[in-house]
Amino acid sequence: MFATSRLSVLGSLLLAGLTSMVWTAQTVAAQGLPSGFRYEPIPTWGLQDACAMSFAPDGRLFLCERLTGRVRVVRNGVLEAQPWYQINYPQAPNSEAGLLGIAVDPAFLTNGYVYLFYTDPSLQENRIARVRDVNGVGTQFTVLSPAGAMPLHPFLIHNGGRMVFGHDGRLYVSAGDHGEQLSPQDPLVWPGKVLCFDVPNLTVPANSPFPGSPAYAVGLRNSFGLAVHPTRGWLYASENGYLVGDELNRIVAGGNYGWPQFEGPGMPVGYEAPLLTLPQQPALTGMAFSAGAAYPAPFRDCLYLCHWLGGDVRRIEFSANGQNVVANHFFANHFNAFDTQLGPDGTIWVLHGQY
């Protein structure tokens, strides 16, 4: 679902909105969408600075408000008035800090767990915590990451914070390099990585590619998007680049993505080359795969990738082995797209708003 602030929250650029991208077999395209698609705005009056979202198995949509620290819930297409949980910030975090990521446990119907990636109110470090849903309210807030694992840059930049569950039931987390040049190539520290944990307590998997460390892949700068292929389980990440451009990467166990020594195409032997490099640096953010019969070919089984700058949504088609991009299309243009998720109805939901 795809929305803009102008459609779903009366034009306020300080708020965030949701819409869906629905295919209706119509011959006339909605503005900025291919023929047969239309936007379906979701009522989100009161949602502020939302940046990430995750669906629960019961159909609820959980969203992070970056600056307020509130976790909000959309139930049956309506934003609930009361926050589900809130991290209390004495004042709104500046730069790139705040409540940045959320992932609902696949066993949510049994354990009620929701995982959060957030900047500690002291603004000294990023943390990962677990909250439990009890009667529709977040309770039992538990910090899981060890103290000092993700210390902040003085300017609060390059935090990453995306989280997604893999088909193996493990939690994958993008940790930005925090502006620190040595960390991405050191597998024993957390920044500049895709991390992998067993849940519910963030333990290091026994088969970690870097024994004793949760590092799953190294050499990353600042990834704002993680997505898992719905049937094959392949993991992909967007990457905000520096001089060469923004990247789309297939994340493999033990892979080294080059940063800060290398970026972009033409990686030396021993490094993982990006599947796609976008030299215009559109500030890639969230992404999600379509699946099922809600979209016709060629729009199903594709990756939908957000551009923060310009608000574009890009549609990516992969080779059969998932290792090559075979088609790369602009799909939609809207306002500051920040995250995408596959909804229970099989349509792509897009979150947008002011960063």
Side-chain angles (χ1 to χ4, degrees):
M1 302 179 175
F2 192 97
T4 71
S5 298
R6 288 167 289 191
L7 289 179
S8 60
V9 288
L10 303 181
S12 171
L13 300 187
L14 296 179
L15 303 181
L18 281 166
T19 51
S20 65
M21 298 185 292
V22 180
W23 188 75
T24 61
Q26 298 171 347
T27 58
V28 178
Q31 183 178 2
L33 283 171
S35 178
F37 283 83
R38 63 181 172 84
Y39 295 121
E40 189 173 275
I42 309 302
T44 53
W45 290 274
L47 186 66
Q48 299 183 41
D49 301 289
C51 66
M53 55 185 178
S54 181
F55 277 99
D58 62 8
R60 281 183 290 170
L61 177 62
F62 288 75
L63 304 104
C64 293
E65 292 184 348
R66 183 176 72 90
L67 298 181
T68 69
R70 297 185 299 192
V71 179
R72 308 296 301 277
V73 168
V74 172
R75 186 197 300 265
N76 299 323
V78 178
L79 179 70
E80 295 186 345
Q82 296 301 315
W84 178 81
Y85 188 78
Q86 182 167 12
I87 293 171
N88 294 310
Y89 289 110
Q91 60 185 25
N94 58 7
S95 190
E96 300 173 12
L99 179 56
L100 298 170
I102 188 166
V104 176
D105 196 304
F108 176 84
L109 296 179
T110 300
N111 59 34
Y113 289 153
V114 176
Y115 298 84
L116 305 177
F117 186 108
Y118 70 102
T119 303
D120 182 71
S122 69
L123 303 184
Q124 298 299 307
E125 63 178 329
N126 289 318
R127 293 177 173 175
I128 300 171
R130 186 185 68 227
V131 185
R132 188 176 187 184
D133 180 79
V134 177
N135 298 322
V137 177
T139 63
Q140 302 174 27
F141 178 84
T142 305
V143 178
L144 301 175
S145 53
M150 295 182 285
L152 285 177
H153 186 277
F155 297 149
L156 310 183
I157 59 172
H158 295 191
N159 298 311
R162 295 296 184 177
M163 302 196 293
V164 66
F165 277 92
H167 283 196
D168 54 7
R170 288 170 172 161
L171 181 64
Y172 292 84
V173 179
S174 68
D177 70 0
H178 296 174
E180 218 293 317
Q181 296 288 295
L182 297 179
S183 296
Q185 292 296 322
D186 182 351
L188 299 182
V189 300
W190 288 23
K193 313 288 188 306
V194 169
L195 307 170
C196 177
F197 301 97
D198 285 328
V199 292
N201 297 317
L202 290 198
T203 50
V204 176
N207 62 346
S208 171
F210 303 98
S213 169
Y216 184 79
V218 304
L220 294 159
R221 183 173 183 265
N222 197 23
S223 295
F224 277 114
L226 288 176
V228 175
H229 191 281
T231 58
R232 304 300 295 273
W234 299 322
L235 180 64
Y236 296 84
S238 61
E239 171 78 317
N240 284 204
Y242 179 49
L243 294 176
V244 175
D246 291 353
E247 301 175 356
L248 173 63
N249 289 295
R250 167 88 176 269
I251 302 298
V252 296
N256 189 330
Y257 295 81
W259 181 256
Q261 286 82 6
F262 309 104
E263 61 173 336
M267 287 281 187
V269 174
Y271 294 87
E272 303 294 329
L275 305 187
L276 181 68
T277 302
L278 300 172
Q280 68 269 34
Q281 293 183 289
L284 299 179
T285 48
M287 56 191 193
F289 280 93
S290 60
Y295 293 166
F299 300 105
R300 70 168 64 105
D301 300 325
C302 297
L303 182 70
Y304 291 82
L305 175 62
C306 292
H307 295 193
W308 174 245
L309 299 179
D312 298 311
V313 175
R314 188 180 293 267
R315 180 174 65 87
I316 307 294
E317 298 176 39
F318 294 100
S319 59
N321 63 5
Q323 297 180 8
N324 297 284
V325 170
V326 298
N328 165 29
H329 309 273
F330 281 109
F331 180 78
N333 180 274
H334 232 308
F335 176 74
N336 290 15
F338 217 130
D339 197 13
T340 63
Q341 289 289 316
L342 177 65
D345 58 358
T347 62
I348 295 294
W349 294 48
V350 178
L351 176 65
H352 61 89
Q354 186 72 15
Y355 187 78

